[in-house]
Amino acid sequence: MAFDQAAWRVIGATRRGRLHAHRGEHREDAVQGAQWSDGWCVAVADGAGSSAWSRIGSAMATSLLVESVRDACAASSVQERVPLGLRDILERALTRVVNAMRILADEVGEPWRAFRTTLLAVLVHEGQLATLQIGDGAIMLRSVHGTLEHPYAPAVGEYSGEVAHFLPDDGALEVGVASIREDDAATYDLAVLCTDGIEDPWYPLARHGAALIDEWMTGAASEHPSPAGYVRADIGEVITATAPNASCADALATWLTFEKRGENDDRTAAIAWRRRD
Amino acid sequence: MSMRRLPVYILADVSGSMQGTPIESVKSGIRQLHRDLLGDPQAIESAYLSILTFANQAQQLVPLTEVALFDPPELTANGNTNFGDGLRLLLDCFDRELIRTTAEQKGDWRPLVFILSDGAPTDVDWPLFAQQLRERRPANIIAVACGDQADVTVLKQVTELVIQMQDMTPDAFKAFFRFVSASVKQTSAKVGAIADGQGITLPPPPPGITIVP
């Protein structure tokens, strides 16, 4: 996934993890993005490993959310409109996602939990930025001053892989709505979303996030600490000022082939950065 | 430690009633489990095995050890069935050996525990430790009633998930340890929500082994 939208460049990539590849199973992560004249939206999702149709859940969640947001924002850009804030736009989109997942589950005779997925999103529209998160994975925002922000604390259970909330479970919509954060988009020049296939090997991102971004921007090891046992993919920089977005997206997809013992989950990331031209 | 482990504990009854074919089958089964896991690329990276036994007392014969370095222990059967000491030791191992997730590090995957017993406890303390295991839920525990003399109601006090081996023939133990191996391989995937306490999804038990309702 790759596009330019006025002030921003946006890419996304996803790769099946070794666990699923070894077993001949589907990737359960998904990434989607969309743009319109005044903004863009990107979403990533990770289907629950214990849910039979989670790959459908993650694909639905990302596609429907992004589509709903795009339609609402594009409609709000025409002259005769009822202005909606980003919070309202995201809440309505999330509601649509939950309802659609439940309707599909009911229609095919499966329990809702068969489609379980996390969902993370970043929306930029008319100079405002909003985020939401349900489940694990991570969002990072870099301010124009270089400070990395983490809007959400890691969703940790007692042990690895334990997630408190999934769509379309009861209560997950409320959790997602409560998670919505808004800010001035001018404050930021970079946004990252990733599923836990990246968050876990780089955990905690509060410590290693800077090294991750440096690696994407320079292709080299950073002065900031990288996680122990991490072996980089044979790729240079991912985010460049000059290469076309499609090349950056390919580079990100290659970067996702990094090695770290025991880290075999699907990997998905989306990166949005401000254009300098 | 920079990598996440799937801890697998086997707590085996080695009381006098396990003498002969049963204990030899358990030893053989552990060796078979080890070989199976050595052949699985995911398990060899993340599974760690520990063997605990209980008879008059409980012992940890092998601490939590990565599959590649695991050495199947010798087992001998003799003595009473001090089930409470076995459970106490299991809880102690959890406290000493497991790594929980914190803000600074990702912890282990939720441990898998297989408890094998062919009879009834001879100690009086076991209910206390069984209650702690049920209340704390520190692991995914599967209790295995070996043969028709095993006290299923006691095992049900420790965990909801109790399976029964109809007999204690070598073939039955072999099938059981294949089930253990398949469970370990399957559990390396994400286990899902903690919100509703949903447990792991295990493979179907083989013929001769039934889930106790």
Side-chain angles (χ1 to χ4, degrees):
Chain A
M1 179 200 76
F3 55 83
D4 279 336
Q5 193 287 323
W8 294 83
R9 300 181 70 182
V10 182
I11 62 173
T14 183
R15 183 171 287 276
R16 184 172 61 163
R18 284 189 297 169
L19 180 68
H20 290 144
H22 177 69
R23 296 176 175 178
E25 295 170 346
H26 295 275
R27 170 173 50 84
E28 290 166 349
D29 277 12
V31 57
Q32 276 295 345
Q35 57 172 318
W36 52 94
S37 59
D38 294 319
W40 53 269
C41 179
V42 165
V44 302
D46 177 6
S50 56
S51 297
W53 302 108
S54 63
R55 69 184 185 278
I56 307 294
S58 63
M60 276 185 77
T62 51
S63 297
L64 278 176
L65 184 95
V66 159
E67 202 175 278
S68 301
V69 166
R70 178 201 62 203
D71 293 347
C73 291
S76 78
S77 298
V78 302
Q79 199 163 14
E80 290 169 325
R81 67 182 198 263
V82 176
L84 289 175
L86 299 197
R87 175 175 295 277
D88 287 332
I89 289 172
L90 282 174
E91 180 170 352
R92 290 182 185 205
L94 203 51
T95 302
R96 184 181 168 205
V97 166
V98 170
N99 290 341
M101 291 175 76
R102 290 177 176 178
I103 288 169
L104 175 63
D106 292 343
E107 282 180 352
V108 300
E110 291 282 346
W112 293 351
R113 66 177 180 274
F115 294 84
R116 274 181 165 159
T117 182
T118 67
L119 181 62
L120 298 82
V122 172
L123 161 61
V124 169
H125 180 58
E126 294 184 334
Q128 292 294 111
L129 179 147
T131 61
L132 73 81
Q133 180 164 344
I134 300 160
D136 61 6
I139 294 175
M140 291 191 291
L141 302 173
R142 191 178 69 182
S143 77
V144 294
H145 307 294
T147 311
L148 263 190
E149 296 177 14
H150 306 270
Y152 307 103
V156 297
E158 186 179 10
Y159 297 108
S160 279
E162 297 186 335
V163 178
H165 300 285
F166 285 111
L167 295 176
D169 292 356
D170 284 332
L173 173 60
E174 289 76 9
V175 166
V177 170
S179 79
I180 296 171
R181 306 261 191 284
E182 294 176 84
D183 209 334
D184 182 355
T187 308
Y188 303 104
D189 67 0
L190 185 138
V192 174
L193 303 81
C194 64
T195 60
D196 71 335
I198 294 170
E199 186 200 13
D200 287 348
W202 285 83
Y203 188 89
L205 281 171
R207 187 182 332 139
H208 297 132
L212 175 58
I213 291 170
D214 278 354
E215 188 168 305
W216 282 338
M217 295 186 71
T218 68
S222 167
E223 62 178 11
H224 300 287
S226 290
Y230 164 75
V231 178
R232 290 178 59 234
D234 187 14
I235 187 76
E237 61 212 7
V238 171
I239 303 172
T240 72
T242 53
N245 280 346
S247 299
C248 295
D250 287 345
L252 179 60
T254 302
W255 179 86
L256 293 176
T257 62
F258 67 82
E259 297 276 338
K260 187 166 189 243
R261 181 178 171 180
E263 301 294 346
N264 302 317
D265 202 357
D266 298 340
R267 298 164 177 177
T268 300
I271 311 170
W273 69 102
R274 280 196 183 273
R275 299 164 65 105
R276 295 186 186 279
D277 48 288
Chain B
M1 187 200 69
S2 64
M3 56 149 289
R4 295 179 291 163
R5 313 172 301 178
L6 172 61
V8 179
Y9 289 90
I10 296 176
L11 173 60
D13 180 345
V14 296
S15 61
S17 57
M18 290 287 287
Q19 283 179 351
T21 303
I23 200 69
E24 293 303 315
S25 297
V26 171
K27 283 197 294 188
S28 173
I30 290 173
R31 287 194 295 270
Q32 175 194 315
L33 169 66
H34 181 225
R35 280 194 301 272
D36 282 350
L37 296 183
L38 278 174
D40 183 272
Q42 316 302 332
I44 200 170
E45 275 198 4
S46 56
Y48 277 56
L49 297 176
S50 172
I51 307 297
L52 315 178
T53 61
F54 62 96
N56 290 334
Q57 289 176 326
Q59 294 183 79
Q60 185 177 27
L61 298 184
V62 182
L64 214 51
T65 304
E66 66 176 285
V67 165
L69 300 179
F70 177 81
D71 192 10
E74 275 302 310
L75 300 177
T76 54
N78 192 25
N80 295 320
T81 310
N82 194 342
F83 189 43
D85 204 36
L87 300 181
R88 177 205 57 78
L89 179 59
L90 188 62
L91 286 162
D92 177 63
C93 289
F94 292 159
D95 290 339
R96 278 188 294 108
E97 295 184 317
L98 297 182
I99 296 169
R100 265 70 169 191
T101 295
T102 66
E104 285 302 307
Q105 70 176 8
K106 282 284 179 175
D108 294 325
W109 301 97
R110 185 170 288 270
L112 264 181
V113 178
F114 296 89
I115 301 176
L116 287 76
S117 180
D118 73 329
T122 55
D123 67 295
V124 298
D125 293 331
W126 69 265
L128 174 68
F129 300 110
Q131 184 182 7
Q132 286 186 34
L133 282 168
R134 279 186 73 96
E135 287 175 358
R136 283 173 49 183
R137 295 178 177 265
N140 291 308
I141 301 175
I142 300 103
V144 187
C146 302
D148 56 12
Q149 299 300 308
D151 193 330
V152 169
T153 53
V154 167
L155 297 177
K156 277 285 193 181
Q157 296 297 310
V158 179
T159 176
E160 279 298 322
L161 191 46
V162 177
I163 60 178
Q164 179 141 36
M165 291 169 57
Q166 300 305 323
D167 56 56
M168 292 170 64
T169 61
D171 282 347
F173 276 102
K174 198 177 289 186
F176 165 70
F177 278 98
R178 275 200 296 270
F179 169 75
V180 172
S181 156
S183 301
V184 173
K185 292 174 189 177
Q186 187 162 307
T187 306
S188 58
K190 185 177 286 192
V191 297
I194 57 174
D196 60 1
Q198 186 178 358
I200 52 168
T201 305
L202 292 175
I209 296 178
T210 53
I211 296 175
V212 177

